[in-house]
Amino acid sequence: MHSRTLLARVQRAEQLAKAKTKFSRDCICWPENELPFFGFDIEREIAVGLECPVHGKRSFWRVYHLYIPKWLREKQQERLSRRSQQYQKAWNASFPAELWPAEEEQTANGEIFLRLQDGTRLLACEARSKNLLSGRAVSGSALR
């Protein structure tokens, strides 16, 4: 009987220790109950590319990105301020304040670039006509 009680205590202590170290000071993982919001796929790729020094690869549920309207993308900083401290720490690790928020630039042919604070330009959205030419859209002959 004594060994069972001891075993149960050890298991509870391990669970408690695991819960306390989930978000240690150095952890830059997103909380499981707060999935990150990205305006463009390039932002998700940047976030996935950064590893947590405590847990290694940071992974989160992949949402297929169709289109996020500009007015919603512009509210990212406001939305960020309402998130938990751990979410903000994870976001700031991926998108440091000296580079982000990026300014959106749209070209005449419809491409959208993100210009970072240091002047770097990242292609965020390809032109629609380029997608049509590359065969990503269904052609009229395929519908017949």
Side-chain angles (χ1 to χ4, degrees), residues 3-6 11 21 26-27 29 33 41 44 48 50 56 71-73 76 80 86 88-89 109 114 121 129-130 144:
S3 62
R4 271 194 222 158
T5 325
L6 184 59
Q11 287 173 342
T21 60
D26 298 328
C27 176
C29 294
N33 62 342
D41 271 343
R44 184 190 55 76
V48 168
L50 185 65
W71 66 267
L72 188 55
R73 294 190 307 260
Q76 176 61 18
L80 184 59
Q86 183 62 35
Q88 291 179 30
K89 185 168 50 166
N109 66 351
L114 297 178
R121 290 177 74 208
S129 60
K130 188 174 183 178
R144 291 182 202 160

Side-chain angles (χ1 to χ4, degrees), residues 44-57:
R44 184 190 55 76
E45 292 171 19
I46 291 169
V48 168
L50 185 65
E51 288 194 0
C52 175
V54 177
H55 301 107
K57 184 177 180 185

Side-chain angles (χ1 to χ4, degrees), residues 21-126:
T21 60
K22 171 100 176 158
F23 295 121
S24 68
R25 195 182 66 168
D26 298 328
C27 176
I28 56 171
C29 294
W30 270 278
E32 289 179 12
N33 62 342
E34 290 182 282
L35 295 175
F37 171 85
F38 304 114
F40 296 104
D41 271 343
I42 187 72
E43 292 173 326
R44 184 190 55 76
E45 292 171 19
I46 291 169
V48 168
L50 185 65
E51 288 194 0
C52 175
V54 177
H55 301 107
K57 184 177 180 185
R58 299 188 313 168
S59 61
F60 39 86
W61 189 54
R62 165 86 163 113
V63 176
Y64 289 97
H65 187 85
L66 297 175
Y67 175 75
I68 303 295
K70 186 172 182 169
W71 66 267
L72 188 55
R73 294 190 307 260
E74 290 172 345
K75 293 183 180 254
Q76 176 61 18
Q77 290 303 113
E78 177 187 331
R79 187 174 27 265
L80 184 59
S81 68
R82 294 191 310 258
R83 298 297 187 157
S84 69
Q85 285 183 327
Q86 183 62 35
Y87 184 100
Q88 291 179 30
K89 185 168 50 166
W91 183 268
N92 292 331
S94 298
F95 308 103
E98 61 270 7
L99 297 176
W100 298 84
E103 185 178 321
E104 288 185 29
E105 295 178 351
Q106 187 164 0
T107 63
N109 66 351
E111 291 178 324
I112 298 176
F113 286 88
L114 297 178
R115 180 179 295 279
L116 305 184
Q117 301 294 323
D118 68 353
T120 305
R121 290 177 74 208
L122 303 173
L123 179 62
C125 185
E126 293 182 21

